[in-house]
Amino acid sequence: MNRLTAAITTLVFVSVAWAFAPDANAYPHFQFSSDTDTCSTCHYAPAGGGLINGWGREEAGDTLSRGGDGAALHGLVEMPSWLAIGGDLRAAALMKGVETSEGTVNESGKLHLFPMQADLSARAEHNAFALTAVVGLRGKARKSAPPDGSMREEAGALSRLVSREHFITYAPDDSKYTMRGGRFYAPYGLRLADHTSYVRRHAGFGMLKETYGLGMSRRGDDNETHITAHVSDPILGSQHLTYGATAMHEKRGEAHALGAGARLRYTESNMQAWAGGHYKHWFESKKLLLMAEVNTGYQSFAESPDNSRLQLLGYIGPVWFPTDGVSASVAYEHYDEDLLTRYVERHAITSTISFLPRAHYEIFLMGRAERIGPPGRSFTGMLQLHYYL
């Protein structure tokens, strides 16, 4: 595929898909497996995720996929040095079954086809300052009924327009520090791309849960530290704002990373605190990356202080890279919202296969089997077609 053909294909795809939308993040399994030891080596953001820089685009074509030009628009247009653009388009097919205590199965065999994501990203810099913004449309797998129960048609696509991230960074060339203010996810834990994973969803990093905050990041030769004070989105969030702070430190070796973090969030009705750690180890000879994260939590309620909860949240599993452009993973996930109450814990086995046939293209398949306490089970299968600018 030459550059002109690739660019035309891209523009047609963008035109068709730009009416839709959820969440895009970094792929943390590329740390170490792509010969880079920090996520910020390939991304502009100080903790990784979001727009990829020039080095990341080269890696996308030379290392992560089976070839191709990883530059924006396949290299047809050369961006000025002060401007970077990107974007993510995803279409998805989803099947899910839920078995209840009565033995019935909901949604079993139903196939949902939906536009999952359509985001455009841009970053403009001037001296030590840079402005980053991501604009897209909220995707949905099912139609939702209006609040009043009527059958009127839903509002148009523009009513779902949202900017998931928009922030300003200040990073002097001669400093190890980066300051950031705006809307973004506070760095914490493994930072998995899947917003439905337990360690994201139940720790407050679900879809459209980016917070407004002020953050400081420090990059050392073999370590990094991120501290963020944040508040929930006052527009897309609930009427009760959530305030908090999140901190993470990661220490790296030649083939491993060990991190620790803490996260505090509170509203007028409850307070929740998490503390935990994460670990990665790369086995070069086996092309295998082991990833793990565990968090212990405490939650209290203003109206019933005697009903406080101890909580547990975890993830562990390997990612295997059998050949160029292919990765496969399997992971065990666990969430217990109250360690002192029986039958409320959740267990999941999640498996994924990712295929990057060329730079800019990805085929992604995920399967998840969950057990929610003794009576409930669910099964989810999803196929994603992903294109990034």
Side-chain angles (χ1 to χ4, degrees):
M1 181 182 293
N2 59 40
R3 290 185 176 182
L4 179 59
T5 302
I8 294 174
T9 302
T10 298
L11 292 176
V12 171
F13 192 6
V14 170
S15 299
V16 173
W18 180 251
F20 316 112
D23 174 40
N25 222 311
Y27 287 180
H29 56 270
F30 288 145
Q31 186 181 12
F32 298 115
S33 65
S34 62
D35 295 326
T36 53
D37 60 354
T38 65
C39 297
S40 59
T41 301
C42 294
H43 295 265
Y44 287 106
L51 270 173
I52 53 178
N53 55 30
W55 174 265
R57 289 191 175 278
E58 289 182 6
E59 287 292 292
D62 299 339
T63 304
L64 305 182
S65 65
R66 301 183 67 86
D69 190 336
L73 291 175
H74 302 262
L76 181 65
V77 179
E78 184 175 351
M79 294 292 110
S81 59
W82 57 270
L83 177 65
I85 63 169
D88 289 275
L89 302 169
R90 292 180 195 262
L94 170 71
M95 292 187 69
K96 184 170 184 177
V98 179
E99 184 174 341
T100 68
S101 57
E102 289 77 22
T104 59
V105 177
N106 302 323
E107 301 186 69
S108 179
K110 290 184 179 180
L111 179 64
H112 301 277
L113 302 174
F114 60 101
M116 187 177 184
Q117 181 182 9
D119 284 340
L120 291 178
S121 310
R123 179 183 185 272
E125 66 177 52
H126 178 71
N127 296 330
F129 291 91
L131 172 64
T132 300
V134 181
V135 179
L137 297 168
R138 291 173 286 169
K140 52 171 57 179
R142 307 169 187 84
K143 292 184 177 181
S144 56
D148 59 5
S150 67
M151 298 302 293
R152 69 176 186 272
E153 294 184 1
E154 293 180 299
L158 289 180
S159 67
R160 304 201 310 272
L161 187 68
V162 64
S163 175
R164 292 167 179 76
E165 291 190 337
H166 41 266
F167 55 84
I168 296 175
T169 55
Y170 174 71
D173 291 337
D174 58 349
S175 175
K176 297 181 178 180
Y177 291 88
T178 299
M179 308 299 294
R180 179 163 54 159
R183 188 183 189 198
F184 55 91
Y185 281 121
Y188 185 81
L190 290 175
R191 292 155 287 170
L192 299 174
D194 178 15
H195 65 85
T196 66
S197 63
Y198 288 178
V199 291
R200 281 197 56 183
R201 186 198 323 173
H202 298 296
F205 297 99
M207 186 178 67
L208 294 177
K209 295 298 183 180
E210 296 91 341
T211 53
Y212 282 92
L214 294 173
M216 183 276 292
S217 300
R218 182 188 184 277
R219 302 177 303 279
D221 294 335
D222 62 352
N223 64 86
E224 59 185 86
T225 303
H226 308 276
I227 301 174
T228 310
H230 45 77
V231 61
S232 60
D233 189 331
I235 299 176
L236 292 179
S238 65
Q239 58 181 339
H240 302 294
L241 293 180
T242 301
Y243 301 89
T246 301
M248 186 192 80
H249 177 77
E250 183 176 278
K251 177 77 172 179
R252 296 182 299 274
E254 287 188 4
H256 72 275
L258 178 63
R263 180 167 171 83
L264 173 67
R265 297 185 302 153
Y266 69 92
T267 67
E268 60 183 28
S269 61
N270 73 87
M271 181 275 291
Q272 187 177 43
W274 290 103
H278 64 274
Y279 181 71
K280 295 181 182 179
H281 196 107
W282 173 242
F283 299 91
E284 175 63 34
S285 62
K286 301 182 183 300
K287 299 299 179 183
L288 197 73
L289 178 70
L290 176 66
M291 300 196 299
E293 180 178 346
V294 62
N295 295 281
T296 56
Y298 174 80
Q299 186 175 22
S300 63
F301 303 91
E303 295 184 356
S304 54
D306 295 335
N307 293 328
S308 59
R309 299 174 177 176
L310 296 177
Q311 302 174 322
L312 184 64
L313 186 58
Y315 174 101
I316 185 169
V319 185
W320 180 42
F321 299 82
T323 187
D324 292 344
V326 178
S327 64
S329 72
V330 61
Y332 167 70
E333 302 182 63
H334 179 84
Y335 172 57
D336 197 328
E337 63 178 332
D338 190 347
L339 289 172
L340 301 181
T341 301
R342 298 179 64 186
Y343 307 140
V344 296
E345 70 276 7
R346 294 171 177 256
H347 307 267
I349 299 294
T350 303
S351 59
T352 68
I353 297 176
S354 174
F355 178 44
L356 303 169
R358 302 284 291 177
H360 298 277
Y361 301 95
E362 179 189 19
I363 302 171
F364 180 82
L365 182 65
M366 183 194 77
R368 175 177 287 145
E370 294 183 87
R371 182 172 181 176
I372 306 171
R377 291 183 296 176
S378 71
F379 309 92
T380 304
M382 176 179 285
L383 171 67
Q384 294 182 25
L385 302 179
H386 176 207
Y387 175 85
Y388 65 92
L389 290 179

